[in-house]
Amino acid sequence: MPAIDRIKSDLRSRIWESFRRHGLSFPFPTRTLEFAPRRREAKESSRGKTGVVFVAEGASAGSSVRLSDRPLSIGRGANNDLVVPDAQASKEHARIECTADGFVLVDLQSSGGTYVNGAAIERHQLKPFDRVKVGSTILCIEYDGD
């Protein structure tokens, strides 16, 4: 095995070991890791930040919704952008907003609260791979955090 392949294999193993140690699990294909930055299209950079919210655990596990400049509403009600079919979630539970500094999660005074990485929040600056708990549903945030 050439040295570069051995290094890539070792790096992949360390990354997934770190994810497991921190309790992170991903319901999407595991072959999506990239070792070089993606080329950005001109259209994407003019629109601002984009990202994805993955439903990691719960009734909708495996589904995802794209993040953009437009606010993303999360909750049990059918009028939300991300509908969470979870009795413990409020009808209008939380919202993700795009700001100059990235994405911000805002709790909409939900009855059960909104949690990021296990801590209750009212407003929180999201970072890539943050785990958001809405009711008993776990969401994982992925975006280019620069």
Side-chain angles (χ1 to χ4, degrees):
M1 174 184 260
I4 191 74
D5 290 336
R6 192 171 43 252
I7 292 169
K8 283 181 182 179
S9 177
D10 184 47
L11 182 58
R12 277 190 213 109
S13 297
R14 288 181 184 200
I15 289 170
W16 287 108
E17 181 181 325
S18 177
F19 286 163
R20 279 191 295 276
R21 215 177 20 250
H22 288 92
L24 296 174
S25 63
F26 300 95
F28 48 92
T30 58
R31 297 267 179 202
T32 58
L33 289 178
E34 296 181 19
F35 291 95
R38 296 180 204 149
R39 262 191 258 173
R40 296 176 191 246
E41 297 175 14
K43 276 195 297 188
E44 183 179 333
S45 62
S46 66
R47 278 192 322 235
K49 292 194 176 292
T50 61
V52 181
V53 177
F54 292 99
V55 181
E57 297 175 25
S60 306
S63 63
S64 62
V65 176
R66 283 215 156 295
L67 290 172
S68 66
D69 292 340
R70 195 174 76 76
L72 177 86
S73 59
I74 304 168
R76 196 177 72 232
N79 60 329
N80 289 292
D81 300 311
L82 176 56
V83 177
V84 179
D86 184 337
Q88 296 176 13
S90 297
K91 288 180 184 175
E92 294 177 351
H93 198 100
R95 181 176 56 242
I96 298 176
E97 302 169 347
C98 184
T99 66
D101 296 326
F103 291 101
V104 174
L105 176 68
V106 180
D107 180 72
L108 300 176
Q109 298 179 341
S110 60
S111 56
T114 303
Y115 297 82
V116 176
N117 301 325
I121 61 100
E122 289 183 15
R123 184 174 181 87
H124 180 79
Q125 181 72 45
L126 291 169
K127 295 183 271 326
F129 299 109
D130 272 346
R131 289 174 60 90
V132 176
K133 184 176 179 191
V134 173
S136 60
T137 300
I138 305 293
L139 310 172
C140 186
I141 310 300
E142 180 181 304
Y143 75 95
D144 187 6
D146 45 345

